[in-house]
């Protein structure tokens, strides 16, 4: 009978070990599914935000380019209009000089009011003396107004864009137009500026479309001129919208797309990343996670099969902890305690290794999600969390919204790389100049936020002024000091609603801008007022 009981006990231990092992493995699967979903959402949001940031910069570049091209074309038009005595050969010479020096256009021509191409540079185009009687060029000529055409086939057979300026003599008589053309299928100013490394390693790329949905720039040159207005994103651009979303492109490929409408010229810029890239990254992370957890759980399985006895209670506790991890809850890693049962002690140690690895991975993901990649300080998401925590306990605090004055001029003058260094510089100034109990964040673009717990707006003003003055007197990465404008609002004095509170601080910042910049403004519900030791 004793042997029978012993044999029955061994079989029960083996069964218990098998059940616990299956439970742990199923929990790991649930955990992987949970991590997969959260990581996918995080990466999609991150890439959409990055794409949108990039597409806004590209659209600004395109807008600046065409402003410069239009101004340049107007200059040569004004020159020819003011020198009526020039012969055709002299005008031809001026057009040649203008085209070679500016390099904006593949060709530049004077088409008179009758449609006769009087001059064209370079002369190798071969249209000098040709009369235009129909088509888009004729329509633009007859309109007698500045124009930026959609893509069309020119008399030379090329797919072109045409920018024109009307030419009037000193007596106000219409003498035709000065037209600059861009050859879309040949080397041009667009692909010189936009065509560097347009397809990234992760498959991301951008393209430019015109008002009617025709592709003006694309990394695959044969697609230039193709009409893609059926694309969901392009449809929204044609409606004057900007944004970001997951779409399926005209080739049936799922993409994370950001798009920006350029209102001055009616164009749109689209930046998109293949969803398949996200899937590859997530798969790689899962493989690494499985490899990290594989050895500890194999040890658990071997120990359970060989010598597991009376481990029901420890197994249950460990299963509950792993289940809480799978549900996304924070848990205390089991203590490295000594169990009365050797097998239970080994299982606990192995589980500690696995759970620690998972929680550390989750903490790294959370830190990435709440930290600004450029300045390495907390981002907007972290700001919202801390504000909500303080509001929940009804603690008084002030927020200071900070914006770099004329930051666009820094980017335009010194380039975006210097602009990034200036952002890092200001973040470091906030670290060193703020108090130990204060929090600082990058809100977005050139805007930063200070959160001052247990601080009323008047005290916050002193802290803000200390920072403002220090920034004003310290050389920045561009070789000279920058200035900042600041706006302050107090919780719950100015508002008990966090969105409204931030809006009021932002409005106070806007008042600082209106009043000359480089100053601090405290929001007042009756009348906002600014205080500044510097007179501009």
């Amino acid at each position: 009978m004793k042997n029978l009981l012993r044999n029955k006990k061994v079989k029960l231990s083996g069964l218990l070990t098998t059940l616990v092992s299956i439970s742990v493995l199923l929990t790991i699967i649930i955990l992987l599914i949970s991590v997969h979903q959260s990581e996918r959402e995080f990466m999609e949001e991150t890439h959409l935000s990055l794409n949108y940031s990039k597409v806004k910069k590209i659209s600004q570049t395109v807008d600046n380019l065409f402003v410069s091209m239009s101004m340049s074309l107007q200059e040569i038009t004004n020159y020819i209009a003011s020198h009526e005595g020039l012969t055709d050969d002299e005008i031809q010479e001026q057009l040649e000089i203008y085209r070679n020096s500016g390099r904006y256009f593949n060709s530049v021509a004077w088409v008179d009011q009758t449609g006769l191409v009087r001059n064209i540079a370079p002369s190798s185009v071969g249209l000098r003396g040709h009369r235009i009687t129909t088509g888009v060029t004729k329509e633009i000529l007859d309109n007698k107004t500045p124009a930026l055409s959609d893509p069309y086939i020119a008399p030379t057979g090329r797919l072109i864009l045409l920018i024109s300026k009307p030419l009037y003599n000193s007596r106000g008589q219409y003498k035709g137009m000065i037209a600059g053309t861009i050859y879309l299928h040949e080397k041009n100013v667009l692909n010189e500026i936009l065509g560097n490394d347009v397809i990234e390693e992760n498959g991301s790329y951008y393209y430019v479309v015109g008002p009617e949905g025709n592709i003006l720039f694309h990394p695959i040159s044969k697609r230039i001129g193709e009409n893609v207005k059926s694309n969901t994103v392009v449809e929204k651009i044609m409606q004057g919208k900007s944004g970001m979303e997951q779409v399926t492109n005209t080739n049936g490929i799922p993409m994370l797309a950001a798009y920006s409408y350029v209102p001055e010229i009616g164009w749109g810029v689209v930046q998109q990343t293949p969803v398949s890239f996200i899937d590859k990254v997530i798969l790689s992370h899962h493989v690494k996670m499985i490899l990290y957890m594989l050895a500890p759980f194999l040890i658990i399985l071997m120990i359970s099969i060989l010598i597991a006895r009376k481990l029901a209670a420890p197994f249950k506790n460990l299963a509950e902890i792993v289940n809480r991890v799978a549900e996304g809850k924070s848990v205390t890693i089991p203590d490295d305690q000594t169990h009365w049962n050797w097998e239970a002690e080994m299982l606990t140690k192995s589980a500690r290794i696995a759970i620690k690895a998972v929680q550390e991975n989750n903490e790294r993901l959370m830190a990435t999600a709440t930290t600004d990649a450029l300045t390495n300080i907390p981002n907007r998401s972290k700001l919202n969390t801390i504000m909500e925590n303080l509001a929940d306990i009804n603690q008084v605090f002030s927020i200071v919204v900070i914006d770099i004055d004329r930051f666009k001029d820094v980017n335009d003058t010194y380039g975006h790389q210097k602009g990034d260094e200036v952002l890092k510089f200001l973040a470091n100034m906030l670290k060193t100049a703020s108090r130990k109990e204060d929090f600082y964040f990058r809100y977005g673009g050139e805007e930063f936020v200070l959160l001052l717990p247990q601080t009323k707006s008047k005290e916050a003003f002193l802290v803000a002024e200390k920072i403002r003055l220090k920034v004003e007197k310290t050389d920045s990465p561009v070789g000279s000091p920058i200035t900042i404008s600041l706006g302050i609002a107090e919780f719950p004095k100015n508002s008990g609603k966090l969105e409204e509170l931030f809006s009021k601080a932002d409005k106070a910042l806007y008042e600082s801008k209106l009043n000359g910049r480089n100053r601090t403004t405290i929001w007042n519900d009756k009348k906002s007022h600014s205080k500044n030791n510097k007179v501009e």
Side-chain angles (χ1 to χ4, degrees), residues 105-173:
F105 303 101
N106 294 94
S107 67
V108 184
W110 170 28
V111 183
D112 71 15
Q113 67 275 20
T114 69
L116 180 65
V117 180
R118 297 281 293 274
N119 299 95
I120 186 165
S123 57
S124 58
V125 175
L127 289 180
R128 187 173 183 180
H130 177 79
R131 188 175 299 278
I132 298 172
T133 58
T134 60
V136 176
T137 307
K138 178 62 174 174
E139 292 175 5
I140 293 173
L141 177 68
D142 291 343
N143 284 338
K144 303 179 183 180
T145 57
L148 169 59
S149 75
D150 289 328
Y152 71 97
I153 303 298
T156 59
R158 295 182 172 96
L159 181 65
I160 71 167
L161 285 176
L162 185 143
I163 302 177
S164 69
K165 297 292 180 180
L167 178 63
Y168 291 91
N169 63 18
S170 59
R171 296 177 296 283
Q173 296 173 326

Side-chain angles (χ1 to χ4, degrees), residues 20 24 295-301 303-304 308 310-322 331-357:
V20 171
V24 172
F297 282 102
L298 283 176
I299 294 174
I300 293 173
L301 184 60
I303 293 174
S304 299
K310 298 180 181 180
L311 295 179
F315 286 165
K316 181 180 178 181
N317 292 336
L318 289 175
E320 290 176 351
I321 292 174
V322 176
V331 301
T332 302
I333 297 176
D335 295 331
D336 191 11
Q337 59 184 350
T338 301
H339 288 277
W340 66 270
N341 187 286
W342 183 82
E343 292 87 350
E345 181 176 350
M346 291 300 297
L347 179 58
T348 301
K349 288 182 178 180
S350 299
R352 285 183 73 254
I353 295 172
I355 294 170
K356 184 177 180 181

Side-chain angles (χ1 to χ4, degrees), residues 12-27:
L12 180 62
S13 299
L15 177 60
L16 181 61
T17 301
T18 302
L19 291 175
V20 171
S21 300
I22 293 174
S23 175
V24 172
L25 289 174
L26 288 176
T27 303

Side-chain angles (χ1 to χ4, degrees), residues 123-374:
S123 57
S124 58
V125 175
L127 289 180
R128 187 173 183 180
H130 177 79
R131 188 175 299 278
I132 298 172
T133 58
T134 60
V136 176
T137 307
K138 178 62 174 174
E139 292 175 5
I140 293 173
L141 177 68
D142 291 343
N143 284 338
K144 303 179 183 180
T145 57
L148 169 59
S149 75
D150 289 328
Y152 71 97
I153 303 298
T156 59
R158 295 182 172 96
L159 181 65
I160 71 167
L161 285 176
L162 185 143
I163 302 177
S164 69
K165 297 292 180 180
L167 178 63
Y168 291 91
N169 63 18
S170 59
R171 296 177 296 283
Q173 296 173 326
Y174 182 58
K175 305 299 289 182
M177 66 179 181
I178 302 298
T181 60
I182 299 173
Y183 301 163
L184 292 178
H185 279 138
E186 299 179 28
K187 184 177 181 181
N188 59 66
V189 67
L190 271 181
N191 57 44
E192 283 184 2
I193 292 177
L194 301 178
N196 296 324
D197 301 323
V198 291
I199 300 182
E200 302 176 14
E201 292 182 359
N202 62 6
S204 297
Y205 65 90
Y206 54 86
Y207 62 92
V208 181
V209 295
E212 299 301 322
N214 295 308
I215 295 178
L216 307 179
F217 171 81
H218 197 284
I220 303 174
S221 60
K222 67 180 181 181
R223 297 199 62 186
I224 294 174
E226 179 182 341
N227 189 282
V228 290
K229 65 180 181 181
S230 61
N231 185 300
T232 303
V233 166
V234 177
E235 286 180 354
K236 293 183 177 181
I237 288 175
M238 293 171 65
Q239 297 169 8
K241 297 179 181 179
S242 299
M244 52 186 177
E245 61 187 86
Q246 181 173 330
V247 299
T248 300
N249 67 11
T250 52
N251 293 325
I253 302 174
M255 291 285 187
L256 300 174
Y259 50 96
S260 177
Y261 176 67
V262 185
E264 288 77 8
I265 55 179
W267 291 12
V269 182
V270 181
Q271 166 82 13
Q272 51 190 19
T273 302
V275 173
S276 59
F277 168 74
I278 305 295
D279 295 333
K280 290 179 182 178
V281 173
I282 293 176
L283 177 61
S284 175
H285 290 175
H286 287 355
V287 170
K288 290 180 180 178
M289 186 181 298
I290 291 171
L291 291 175
Y292 288 148
M293 294 186 293
L294 184 60
F297 282 102
L298 283 176
I299 294 174
I300 293 173
L301 184 60
M302 292 174 62
I303 293 174
S304 299
I305 293 173
L306 295 174
I307 55 174
R309 294 228 179 110
K310 298 180 181 180
L311 295 179
F315 286 165
K316 181 180 178 181
N317 292 336
L318 289 175
E320 290 176 351
I321 292 174
V322 176
N323 279 327
R324 288 199 295 273
V325 173
E327 293 170 358
K329 298 177 181 178
S330 178
V331 301
T332 302
I333 297 176
D335 295 331
D336 191 11
Q337 59 184 350
T338 301
H339 288 277
W340 66 270
N341 187 286
W342 183 82
E343 292 87 350
E345 181 176 350
M346 291 300 297
L347 179 58
T348 301
K349 288 182 178 180
S350 299
R352 285 183 73 254
I353 295 172
I355 294 170
K356 184 177 180 181
V358 171
Q359 293 203 149
E360 287 176 351
N361 184 59
N362 288 341
E363 289 171 1
R364 283 193 295 270
L365 289 174
M366 182 61 68
T368 302
T370 58
T371 301
D372 178 59
L374 176 65

